[in-house]
Amino acid sequence: MAKQRVVIVGGGSGGDAAAFMLRKKGFDGEVVILSADHDRPYDRPYLSKEFLRGEIDLPKVYLHPEEEYARQGIDLRVNTRVSGGSIKERRLELESGAPVEYDVLLLSLGGTPRRLPGVPDAENVFTLRSLRDSSAIKQALHAAKRLLLVGAGFIGAEVGASARALGKEVLMVEAAPVPLSRAFGEEVGHVYADIHRDHGVDVRTGTTVKQWHTSGNHVTGVTLSDGGREDVDVVLLAVGIDPNLELPKALGLPIEGTGVPTDEALRVGDGVYVAGDIALHQHPLLGRALRVEHWEVAKGQGRGIANSIAAGNDVPYAKVPYFWSDQYEVKLEYNGHASGEDHAVWRGDRAGRQFSVFYLRDGLVQAVLSMNDAEGGDAGVRLIQSRTAVNAHKLADSEVDLAELVPAKS
Ligand SMILES: Cc1cc2nc3c(=O)[nH]c(=O)nc-3n(C[C@H](O)[C@H](O)[C@H](O)COP(=O)(O)OP(=O)(O)OC[C@H]3O[C@@H](n4cnc5c(N)ncnc54)[C@H](O)[C@@H]3O)c2cc1C
């Protein structure tokens, strides 16, 4: 039988993980990665943290040494954007260069940071997604005194924490009255805003930028909706991403809301899979379709798809979604998938910032957010996996041993 060619579009978390897992599983066909990025795959989470602060440099940021791709028989083509093609004919069109044929296709395309209407296209206004973005922000921060962050989500917050570590003044402007409340509830949002305030960030919630002041091609200040005029010399827009759906649309793949709907094995159709930020995955354990924008999720999904391809049959991908965020001395971890409207059960020391919040729906734990509390996080994962109801009062009571409430590891 002729050897198969797997073509992976996207050289980020999901794409890179899939390529290496295919080899690990003994897949002996061709593996091609087509990536629009200028650089070979790198660890995106470092870009708002250690790399931005200058604590690690490039070799550590890349996921693998360059020669590793050839050694593993992975044909990595950077600066290569796929513009369309035909699923029926199993062929991709590139923005430049000859078409590429495939037997199996995997798309892990990530997202593009949103911009806001009215924001000047100035040299000191940035968004952060790529290694080059991070390098440019790092350079601009070096000479800056005061950073304006528009948006208090994770990217904004991490860059804010990094800028404080570099001794910069930080002004954080967030339109919502409480940051992150939609995802985690208001109480968590308040804790989180207080952490930044305690570290000297000027956090303005329920506030937007009303007017941008420029000099030449440079933003010099803003007028805020609270009437204040603020001088700033670097701006980061961190107001979320739009998943990259242009290619799936051009290929005629289904789109639902902001993602590409998949089955439990991340399959969209015959020989076509999607992973990462663009995937609306029918999660077998949680019983719902989820789209998650996190590193470990994309990586795990890429590996899960590689397992299916190497095995020659589709294996449902059931890992509980996970992400982390490091800001100052705070390690935040989140397992599962919930909304801020689910019933939040707190356990631990809120004032000391060592606690977990369990999110319950119909008595079942959907997610757990842990702040400096690995034990609570582990227990939460087992509760999520068990799909059995838990007693919320006992869960909230730190005197009750977690082992009593949590099913034993199987
Ligand atoms: C600064 C930063 C910090 C982060 N920190 C964390 C963190 O601490 N924890 C966490 O869980 N998550 C974090 N994330 C989120 C995480 O990085 C993403 O969720 C993850 O990278 C998604 O993986 P992916 O494979 O879907 O997309 P990506 O990793 O974005 O990779 C997409 C790839 O597809 C390529 N591409 C897109 N369209 C095309 C096309 N048409 N043709 C060819 N190539 C194309 C892109 O160039 C890119 O190489 C962070 C993200 C950023 C930007």
Side-chain angles (χ1 to χ4, degrees):
M1 204 172 90
K3 289 197 171 163
Q4 277 195 317
R5 176 193 278 174
V6 177
V7 174
I8 297 166
V9 188
S13 177
D16 189 83
F20 279 85
M21 185 52 91
L22 279 167
R23 290 301 182 224
K24 196 165 171 203
K25 290 284 166 183
F27 177 78
D28 66 352
E30 278 182 69
V31 178
V32 181
I33 302 178
L34 306 175
S35 174
D37 210 309
H38 303 290
D39 297 287
R40 73 175 187 272
Y42 46 82
D43 195 317
R44 227 174 270 290
Y46 280 147
L47 304 183
S48 49
K49 312 178 188 73
E50 293 85 345
F51 179 70
L52 191 66
R53 296 195 294 267
E55 291 165 9
I56 58 168
D57 45 27
L58 274 181
K60 184 107 202 281
V61 175
Y62 290 120
L63 293 176
H64 309 280
E66 187 153 18
E67 59 280 9
E68 195 57 23
Y69 292 88
R71 201 168 16 230
Q72 297 275 342
I74 296 167
D75 178 2
L76 170 66
R77 305 185 202 168
V78 294
N79 286 314
T80 305
R81 180 171 289 279
V82 180
S83 52
S86 161
I87 295 287
K88 198 158 149 258
E89 292 165 22
R90 300 198 179 216
R91 179 176 38 77
L92 298 173
E93 304 290 344
L94 309 186
E95 223 166 55
S96 61
V100 175
E101 295 187 343
Y102 65 84
D103 298 299
V104 180
L105 176 65
L106 193 172
L107 304 177
S108 194
L109 304 172
T112 302
R114 284 186 203 121
R115 288 190 73 91
L116 291 170
V119 179
D121 194 12
E123 63 193 7
N124 58 341
V125 175
F126 298 91
T127 56
L128 174 54
R129 185 73 190 180
S130 69
L131 180 53
R132 289 182 184 210
D133 294 337
S134 179
S135 299
I137 295 167
K138 188 175 172 177
Q139 206 183 346
L141 266 181
H142 187 70
K145 189 162 176 279
R146 194 175 196 213
L147 166 71
L148 167 65
L149 293 169
V150 181
F154 284 108
I155 302 291
E158 289 181 354
V159 171
S162 292
R164 289 299 298 141
L166 294 170
K168 307 298 171 186
E169 291 175 25
V170 178
L171 170 64
M172 185 189 262
V173 171
E174 165 61 49
V178 185
L180 299 179
S181 55
R182 222 165 32 145
F184 306 124
E186 288 202 358
E187 284 178 271
V188 171
H190 283 301
V191 172
Y192 173 87
D194 286 346
I195 290 170
H196 286 277
R197 289 194 173 109
D198 288 354
H199 287 84
V201 176
D202 184 353
V203 182
R204 312 274 185 98
T205 52
T207 305
T208 54
V209 175
K210 277 283 165 240
Q211 201 184 342
W212 295 85
H213 306 287
T214 55
S215 163
N217 193 19
H218 213 80
V219 168
T220 52
V222 286
T223 300
L224 300 178
S225 55
D226 62 12
R229 156 87 207 232
E230 304 288 341
D231 292 338
V232 296
D233 37 28
V234 184
V235 180
L236 178 72
L237 302 176
V239 288
I241 61 157
D242 291 317
N244 288 330
L245 297 176
E246 302 80 1
L247 179 58
K249 282 181 190 161
L251 291 171
L253 295 176
I255 307 289
E256 215 177 284
T258 53
V260 180
T262 77
D263 69 8
E264 294 185 344
L266 294 147
R267 182 178 168 277
V268 187
D270 188 24
V272 182
Y273 299 86
V274 301
D277 292 357
I278 63 167
L280 180 63
H281 174 217
Q282 183 58 40
H283 198 283
L285 182 72
L286 299 175
R288 288 178 279 138
L290 313 176
R291 196 180 67 72
V292 181
E293 295 170 3
H294 292 302
W295 183 260
E296 289 297 321
V297 174
K299 185 161 115 185
Q301 291 180 342
R303 288 179 175 167
I305 294 167
N307 282 335
S308 291
I309 298 170
N313 66 297
D314 289 336
V315 187
Y317 181 75
K319 209 162 168 205
V320 173
Y322 165 80
F323 82 87
W324 80 100
S325 179
D326 296 327
Q327 295 162 36
Y328 316 105
E329 69 291 347
V330 176
K331 171 118 193 146
L332 189 136
E333 292 179 283
Y334 185 87
N335 287 280
H337 196 271
S339 100
E341 278 157 26
D342 289 324
H343 176 207
V345 177
W346 289 66
R347 181 185 173 97
D349 177 4
R350 196 181 304 206
R353 292 177 185 154
Q354 188 175 12
F355 61 81
S356 288
V357 185
F358 299 84
Y359 296 88
L360 274 63
R361 198 178 307 164
D362 304 326
L364 301 184
V365 178
Q366 306 293 328
V368 57
L369 176 145
S370 309
M371 199 169 271
N372 299 324
D373 180 23
E375 194 199 352
D378 288 347
V381 174
R382 277 187 281 147
L383 284 166
I384 296 166
Q385 286 167 337
S386 76
R387 309 319 292 145
T388 48
V390 64
N391 182 315
H393 295 293
K394 286 188 176 173
L395 191 57
D397 184 351
S398 299
E399 299 294 309
V400 176
D401 192 346
L402 270 179
E404 236 185 72
L405 306 171
V406 175
K409 268 188 186 153
S410 53

